[in-house]
Amino acid sequence: MSSDFDIAIIGAGIAGASLAAEIGEEARVLLLEAEDMPGYHSTGRSAAFWEECYGGPDIVPLTRASGPYLEANGFLSPRGALYLAREEDELAIEGFFARFADSGAEFTKIGRRELEVIVPGLKPHWDRAIRQVRCADIDVAGLHAHFLARAKATGVALVCRARVASLVRHSDWYIKTAGCQEYTATTIVNAAGAWADDIAKMAGVAAKGIQPYRRTVAQLRVDPTPPSDLPLCLDISGNFYFRPEGDKLWLSPHDETPCMACDAAPEELDVALAIDRLEEATNWKIEAVERKWAWLRSFSADRLPIYGRDPALPEFFWFAGQGGFGIQTSPAAARLGAQLILGKSWDEVTDRLQPAIYSPDRFDRE
Ligand SMILES: Cc1cc2nc3c(=O)[nH]c(=O)nc-3n(C[C@H](O)[C@H](O)[C@H](O)COP(=O)(O)OP(=O)(O)OC[C@H]3O[C@@H](n4cnc5c(N)ncnc54)[C@H](O)[C@@H]3O)c2cc1C
């Protein structure tokens, strides 16, 4: 008996949706989502920026390869970024230049005079920064909807309220959801975000040690109102970042607390820590915390994503571990994922990537 589908993708966040859009024309694809609607988990909670160096030098090629697609389809708005630093951070600045020297990312060092014009109210001891003019805001909801629409146009079947509860493989995969729907497919794609290792275990595949970490963001009303052209400002030592959102400020303490896959909630202490750090960096008066949220960023042990067929069971394909860069890398990652799963050659989007560093078999090589 033939399968209902060639490929069943578990998870309709940005990872599953973008991959479905890329492969829908060439395979019969089922996209299964546990929640009432796609995008409820990490994809719907991001800080929405495209920043060339975010995630480290091995992520830069994925981010840069994604830029033209995001730009051409209108999902980027110019923002710029500053890695703020003090005298004692000079070594960190040197390290940044050394790490990203050959990455193709564009950045320059600026001093206090330029900095105080760009970030009015920044306290004097923040007297230097690395500036990245190409950083941009991403329209995440628009991008996710775009991938889902592309997937739908190619005939991908999206089923929500379909939490995969059992995966059994004979010659094909038998998939059962918590609501007792049943499907068959030749290949499973694991795009389940924080639940990726749980899906692997369910399939009888060795987990890859994907760990979810909580990240908190607060929306503040501050006086004075942040300039609308304020760049994304990140502490070079990784203790906070902030950026304007309309006339509000989004602020994160850059926290990374390991936790179980869940509906994460912000801790008061993390919000307080973020505010304390903002007050240490600027003269702005915080008038209100209007909103706060926390969600999960899920990393493998080497903090690189996992894209490819499982070495022990090729009918199980990994598309997980997108950490804090899953939105900004989604177009190129999905193209690479499609080429890997369909056995196609690289193209102009992927020919500068090194798929081996993202391959699931790297854990067996160590
Ligand atoms: C606070 C915060 C800020 C961030 N900022 C940025 C940023 O500025 N730029 C950037 O690029 N990235 C950012 N990220 C990271 C980005 O959000 C993630 O990398 C990305 O959303 C991961 O996408 P995903 O599809 O893998 O996961 P998810 O969006 O979590 O999707 C996984 C889906 O799998 C589903 N699922 C799980 N188990 C099952 C099951 N058994 N059956 C069916 N479905 C299942 C879930 O319901 C979920 O919808 C941020 C993340 C956080 C938390």
Side-chain angles (χ1 to χ4, degrees):
M1 200 180 83
S2 73
S3 298
D4 302 331
F5 295 93
D6 301 316
I7 297 171
I9 303 176
I10 303 176
I14 200 83
S18 57
L19 186 63
E22 283 289 332
I23 62 179
E25 240 164 44
E26 293 173 62
R28 294 169 303 149
V29 179
L30 172 67
L31 180 56
L32 293 169
E33 171 52 52
E35 304 293 347
D36 290 355
M37 56 177 196
Y40 171 79
H41 286 288
S42 301
T43 297
R45 321 288 169 144
S46 93
F49 55 75
W50 181 92
E51 196 279 282
E52 281 183 303
C53 296
Y54 206 74
D58 288 334
I59 301 303
V60 177
L62 283 168
T63 303
R64 296 195 69 219
S66 296
Y69 184 95
L70 294 171
E71 203 151 35
N73 288 287
F75 296 116
L76 296 185
S77 320
R79 165 69 53 206
L82 293 170
Y83 280 86
L84 303 174
R86 299 153 295 183
E87 191 179 357
E88 62 264 39
D89 297 320
E90 197 49 41
L91 268 182
I93 293 188
E94 282 171 27
F96 190 103
F97 271 81
R99 276 182 91 205
F100 294 100
D102 301 323
S103 68
E106 198 180 289
F107 49 88
T108 50
K109 187 177 172 188
I110 62 167
R112 175 72 196 176
R113 199 183 298 176
E114 216 175 326
L115 196 49
E116 64 192 10
V117 177
I118 308 171
V119 192
L122 188 67
K123 287 190 173 165
H125 56 288
W126 295 88
D127 60 359
R128 58 203 77 191
I130 292 172
R131 185 178 196 186
Q132 295 184 322
V133 288
R134 290 207 292 237
C135 175
D137 293 348
I138 310 176
D139 171 5
V140 179
L143 177 64
H144 190 217
H146 163 86
F147 284 135
L148 289 170
R150 263 186 64 195
K152 187 174 178 201
T154 61
V156 171
L158 166 66
V159 187
C160 293
R161 288 179 291 280
R163 180 175 302 281
V164 173
S166 141
L167 289 170
V168 177
R169 189 162 181 280
H170 299 295
S171 55
D172 283 320
W173 289 102
Y174 285 77
I175 307 161
K176 232 186 207 174
T177 70
C180 293
Q181 299 123 304
E182 291 183 8
Y183 306 95
T184 57
T186 311
T187 299
I188 293 288
V189 172
N190 183 1
W195 289 267
D197 269 357
D198 298 334
I199 294 293
K201 286 178 206 156
M202 197 187 285
V205 168
K208 297 283 180 234
I210 293 179
Q211 172 66 53
Y213 295 90
R214 193 177 67 234
R215 167 63 51 94
T216 308
V217 182
Q219 176 173 301
L220 309 178
R221 197 169 71 231
V222 296
D223 183 25
T225 303
S228 58
D229 59 353
L230 184 75
L232 167 69
C233 292
L234 306 107
D235 169 22
I236 197 160
S237 303
N239 289 317
F240 61 80
Y241 65 74
F242 57 83
R243 74 166 183 83
E245 174 68 15
D247 58 355
K248 315 295 181 196
L249 193 79
W250 279 9
L251 169 71
S252 171
H254 219 259
D255 49 333
E256 200 165 274
T257 311
C259 58
M260 304 276 289
C262 64
D263 274 16
E267 297 271 333
E268 287 305 330
L269 261 179
D270 290 326
V271 175
L273 198 63
I275 289 174
D276 189 51
R277 290 172 181 174
L278 181 70
E279 286 177 333
E280 194 279 324
T282 69
N283 293 319
W284 303 338
K285 186 165 169 268
I286 291 144
E287 294 191 323
V289 177
E290 292 191 334
R291 205 155 72 84
K292 54 196 170 196
W293 66 96
W295 225 260
L296 303 176
R297 301 152 82 245
S298 300
F299 290 94
S300 69
D302 61 10
R303 297 180 75 91
L304 297 181
I306 309 179
Y307 303 144
R309 293 183 182 274
D310 190 273
L313 187 54
E315 295 78 14
F316 187 89
F317 187 93
W318 290 85
F319 204 59
Q322 283 86 345
F325 42 79
I327 314 289
Q328 65 177 35
T329 57
S330 56
R335 181 66 60 86
L336 177 65
Q339 289 162 350
L340 289 167
I341 204 166
L342 299 173
K344 293 171 72 176
S345 328
W346 315 140
D347 62 9
E348 70 288 353
V349 176
T350 53
D351 59 7
R352 283 162 188 250
L353 304 179
Q354 288 178 270
I357 64 173
Y358 313 125
S359 165
D361 70 8
R362 68 186 188 268
F363 301 101
D364 304 329
R365 281 184 246 134
E366 282 153 12

